[in-house]
């Protein structure tokens, strides 16, 4: 236990040092080209998430993605610049009213998951399965500085055609980590379809912090859940709502911030979240093709229905770019008493995001 805590402490310290170094590099490089924020321009993001900072390589292992969020608009019909295939649904679910702003966005990403024992070639039925998935989301939000409503659709695929084995094997070869041997037992190929809805309300706001409540849910064969959260921001922050950094498909991906032209921001965030998980493909296996997949049909995993999560974030935003580091700590997602192979039942990871406006 002490060794794990020490690896976690060192990993987080190392990650923070990297984040600070990157901020300084961007400051030096960006001073000559920084300009005022233009609300009529879109924002691009690139994201990388990994659990290596916590000294583990089980459950969620790695994720990366790219996203684009449109400029602010006064109505849903005026949002544009993204392939918004879920806009017809958003018209039914999003509110209208004076003072509301609208934004649409898309994200494309890839996620990997592995069991704890990467040296085992045979199927492991009492730990999480090998999972490789890709997903494409479209999100639409209506919001102001006090409230936010969001809806998102996801289309994706899980299975060997998403090249998870090749990606992880090459990454581990470069880093010197253990070569994962069990990818022949990954979840079967299956299309993914998911819907996400979200409601936020800000109930406290002063010069140094704000606090918001959040209710959201997901329905589909990737995730089906309901969850509630308390979201706090501290420091010099933009109007709107906490920046959420999500690996593809885990939550609704949106940009609920309202920037003032030419402003820079430095702030931290704290998210306290409780989730009731009804179905999660990474721990329950295939839903549509359960009988065609050995792990999904025979697993002995005893998953928790209720999961708590803490997210700690550090955010630096200039007029035309920003950088975000977030660490996520979860309660036990798996009951260790029956899952003897699960050395680390918590699903902790950290993410790093860079964004540009052009």
């Amino acid at each position: 236990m002490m060794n794990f805590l020490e690896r976690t402490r060192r990993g987080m310290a190392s990650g923070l040092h990297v984040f600070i170094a990157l901020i300084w590099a961007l400051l030096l490089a960006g001073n000559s080209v920084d300009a005022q924020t233009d609300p009529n321009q879109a924002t691009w993001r690139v994201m990388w998430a990994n659990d290596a900072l916590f000294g583990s390589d089980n459950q969620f292992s790695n994720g990366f993605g790219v996203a684009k969020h449109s400029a602010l608009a006064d109505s849903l019909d005026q949002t544009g610049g993204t392939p918004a295939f879920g806009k017809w649904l958003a018209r039914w679910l999003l509110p209208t009213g004076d003072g509301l702003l609208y934004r649409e966005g898309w994200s494309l990403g890839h996620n990997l998951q592995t069991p704890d024992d990467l040296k085992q070639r045979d199927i492991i039925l009492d730990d999480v399965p090998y999972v490789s998935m890709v997903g494409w989301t479209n999100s639409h939000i209506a919001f102001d500085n006090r409230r936010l409503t969001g809806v998102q659709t996801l289309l994706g695929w899980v299975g060997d055609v998403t090249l998870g084995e090749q990606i992880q094997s090459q990454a581990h070869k470069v880093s010197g980590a253990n070569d994962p041997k069990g990818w022949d037992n990954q979840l079967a190929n299956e299309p993914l379809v998911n819907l996400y809805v979200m409601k936020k309300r800000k109930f406290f706001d002063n010069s140094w912090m704000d606090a918001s409540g959040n209710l959201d849910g997901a329905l589909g064969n990737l995730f089906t859940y309901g969850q509630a959260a308390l979201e706090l921001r501290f420091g010099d922050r933009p109007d709107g709502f906490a920046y959420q950094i999500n690996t593809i498909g885990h939550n609704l991906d949106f940009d609920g911030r309202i920037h003032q032209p030419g402003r820079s921001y430095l702030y931290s965030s704290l998210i306290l979240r409780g989730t009731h998980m009804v179905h999660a493909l990474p721990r329950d296996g295939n839903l549509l093709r359960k009988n065609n997949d050995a792990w999904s049909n025979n697993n002995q995993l005893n998953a928790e229905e209720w999961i708590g999560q803490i997210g700690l974030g550090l955010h630096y935003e200039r007029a035309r770019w920003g950088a975000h580091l977030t660490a996520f700590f979860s309660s036990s997602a798996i009951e260790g008493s029956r899952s003897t192979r699960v050395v680390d039942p918590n699903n902790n990871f950290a993410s790093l995001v860079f964004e540009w406006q052009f």
Side-chain angles (χ1 to χ4, degrees), residues 7-308:
R7 290 197 305 270
T8 299
R9 185 192 67 79
R10 291 179 180 177
M12 293 186 65
S14 176
L16 183 58
H17 292 157
V18 171
F19 181 77
I20 294 173
L22 288 170
I23 288 296
W24 278 108
L26 287 171
L27 279 170
L28 294 174
N31 283 336
S32 61
V33 298
D34 221 0
Q36 286 195 348
T37 303
D38 183 354
N40 295 313
Q41 288 187 322
T43 299
W44 287 83
R45 297 177 183 169
V46 291
M47 183 277 298
W48 173 66
N50 198 281
D51 61 356
L53 290 179
F54 297 94
S56 66
D57 200 17
N58 69 316
Q59 299 191 63
F60 173 81
S61 180
N62 186 79
F64 56 86
V66 60
K68 181 183 180 182
H69 295 275
S70 72
L72 293 175
D74 293 325
S75 70
L76 183 63
D77 290 335
Q78 293 177 2
T79 62
T82 76
F85 60 76
K87 207 165 190 174
W88 62 272
L89 181 61
R91 289 190 176 96
W92 286 91
L93 298 178
L94 293 187
T96 59
D98 293 339
L100 283 177
L101 298 171
Y102 296 82
R103 178 175 276 143
E104 67 181 42
W106 61 259
S107 60
L108 175 65
H110 184 278
N111 287 342
L112 289 175
Q113 174 183 275
T114 62
D116 189 76
D117 186 358
L118 299 182
K119 298 179 181 180
Q120 175 66 262
R121 292 184 181 274
D122 297 331
I123 190 169
I124 301 173
L125 296 176
D126 55 354
D127 200 348
V128 296
Y130 282 83
V131 179
S132 173
M133 62 84 61
V134 296
W136 172 281
T137 69
N138 254 151
S139 66
H140 298 83
I141 58 174
F143 69 110
D144 55 22
N145 192 41
R146 289 290 177 182
R147 52 186 170 155
L148 182 148
T149 303
V151 58
Q152 175 176 277
T153 51
L154 175 143
L155 298 176
W157 195 271
V158 62
D160 58 9
V161 298
T162 62
L163 303 178
E165 178 180 7
Q166 293 82 352
I167 292 172
Q168 188 176 53
S169 295
Q170 290 301 314
H172 280 209
K173 184 181 295 184
V174 172
S175 65
N178 291 330
D179 182 29
K181 303 294 186 181
W183 274 104
D184 287 345
N185 307 301
Q186 68 180 295
L187 295 186
N189 285 289
E190 179 179 316
L192 302 172
V193 180
N194 238 85
L195 172 68
Y196 307 79
V197 292
M198 175 178 286
K199 278 282 196 180
K200 294 181 183 289
R201 178 73 66 171
K202 187 177 295 185
F203 58 87
F204 182 82
D205 191 2
N206 67 14
S207 61
W208 64 275
M209 72 162 288
D210 62 29
S212 304
N214 174 89
L215 292 174
D216 66 292
L219 177 65
N221 64 321
L222 177 58
F223 287 106
T224 296
Y225 61 71
Q227 61 186 13
L230 173 65
E231 302 173 353
L232 308 173
R233 298 188 300 171
F234 306 90
D236 187 12
R237 63 207 182 275
D239 288 341
F241 291 87
Y243 185 99
Q244 291 197 9
I245 300 171
N246 301 316
T247 55
I248 191 76
H250 281 87
N251 287 287
L252 197 150
D253 182 32
F254 68 96
D255 183 358
R257 298 166 300 168
I258 305 172
H259 290 96
Q260 299 301 316
R263 285 288 308 276
S264 294
Y265 303 93
L266 176 62
Y267 61 100
S268 61
S269 61
L270 170 63
I271 299 175
L272 305 174
R273 180 184 292 142
T275 304
H276 180 245
M277 195 69 70
V278 179
H279 169 76
L281 181 139
R283 66 177 201 177
D284 298 324
N286 293 97
L287 181 63
L288 303 181
R289 300 193 62 200
K290 180 177 181 179
N291 293 332
N292 300 97
D293 181 73
W295 190 94
S296 303
N297 201 33
N298 300 289
N299 81 84
Q300 303 166 18
L301 201 65
N302 193 27
E304 297 280 5
E305 292 185 8
W306 291 92
I307 301 173

